Amino acid sequence: EVQLVESGGGLVQPGGSLRLSCAASGFTFSRYWMSWYRQAPGKGLEWVANIKEDGSDKYYVDSVKGRFTISRDNAENSVYLQMNSLRVGDTAVYYCTRDNNYASDSWGQGTLVTVSS
Amino acid sequence: QSVLTQPPSVSAAPGQKVTISCSGSSSNIGSNYVSWYQQLPGTAPKLLMYENNKRPSGIPDRFSGSKSGTSATLGITGLQTGDEADYYCGTWDGSLSAGVFGGGTKLTVL
């Protein structure tokens, strides 16, 4: 059974940093692209970033470019999202997903990031 | 403002059929596969449809997907109260080099 478990969320002040982690199990992690999504309170889904199987390609939504960095450790079956210069508008539940067949076919339960002073 | 356009809400009676539209452009829907996601209240999204019209295992055939040009459609027949959820379409945008989603459609089964 595919499992994705996010961690690392919490309350942070504007301008601060957080590192989200996603631990994957139940599949061969190194064979899949992985993505991060977010959903602000009461709002829709927003794709944030993705990373190729070997980490050689990464893509980001414009609003986080230069502030967020996606990475992965295939030996640890984990994907990460380093978030710097956080803004109030980054407040959201962040989801980790496995990508397959041009879609995100497995989702974690999400971790809440709150940016507030 | 979402790149893909969905109606904010749709509704129908139990047992009836509903369709949800998703409109984009040549750089996204027009040139890439569309996927659909169901998000029940208080839960994480779940993949409902991939590659325009393929259902993951476990998704009943009451759910169908189609794509034509720069638009896609999700159809749900035999509506059940358990289908009440938010539905999102998504795809890749080659011009933006980014994933793009619709704003979501809230389905109410009256």
Side-chain angles (χ1 to χ4, degrees):
Chain A
E1 179 196 2
V2 174
Q3 276 204 314
L4 299 169
V5 180
E6 301 96 337
S7 60
L11 174 64
V12 61
Q13 291 188 337
S17 298
L18 273 180
R19 188 194 196 210
L20 304 184
S21 300
C22 171
S25 61
F27 64 100
T28 304
F29 181 75
S30 60
R31 293 183 182 175
Y32 293 87
W33 282 72
M34 300 292 291
S35 288
W36 284 96
Y37 290 77
R38 65 185 179 183
Q39 186 169 33
K43 302 296 185 183
L45 291 174
E46 181 181 37
W47 174 88
V48 174
N50 66 0
I51 185 167
K52 195 177 177 180
E53 296 96 329
D54 63 359
S56 59
D57 280 341
K58 305 171 187 181
Y59 298 93
Y60 300 90
V61 67
D62 278 351
S63 59
V64 308
K65 283 179 183 175
R67 301 188 299 124
F68 290 12
T69 301
I70 189 171
S71 63
R72 65 191 295 160
D73 185 336
N74 286 347
E76 294 292 326
N77 291 339
S78 294
V79 61
Y80 308 98
L81 189 66
Q82 176 67 44
M83 304 185 296
N84 299 330
S85 303
L86 281 161
R87 305 168 180 168
V88 171
D90 295 319
T91 294
V93 174
Y94 284 73
Y95 295 102
C96 160
T97 73
R98 183 184 81 167
D99 294 346
N100 189 30
N101 296 322
Y102 307 98
S104 294
D105 70 351
S106 297
W107 295 65
Q109 84 289 348
T111 186
L112 176 62
V113 172
T114 303
V115 184
S116 175
S117 54
Chain B
Q1 190 80 351
S2 302
V3 173
L4 306 182
T5 301
Q6 296 180 235
S9 64
V10 295
S11 62
Q16 296 300 302
K17 173 183 176 178
V18 71
T19 60
I20 299 173
S21 60
C22 177
S23 177
S25 68
S26 58
S27 64
N28 45 64
I29 292 179
S31 50
N32 292 289
Y33 287 118
V34 176
S35 52
W36 290 89
Y37 303 85
Q38 177 193 60
Q39 187 174 32
L40 297 169
T43 70
K46 174 178 131 180
L47 178 64
L48 208 56
M49 202 74 54
Y50 67 97
E51 290 181 2
N52 304 331
N53 56 12
K54 295 179 182 177
R55 285 176 285 108
S57 61
I59 302 299
D61 59 6
R62 300 189 297 108
F63 294 88
S64 63
S66 65
K67 186 182 105 168
S68 178
T70 60
S71 293
T73 302
L74 175 70
I76 311 172
T77 60
L79 278 171
Q80 302 173 1
T81 56
D83 296 331
E84 286 202 333
D86 293 322
Y87 292 83
Y88 296 89
C89 59
T91 186
W92 186 257
D93 190 300
S95 294
L96 298 174
S97 290
V100 291
F101 269 63
T105 299
K106 183 176 183 60
L107 169 63
T108 300
V109 181
L110 301 168

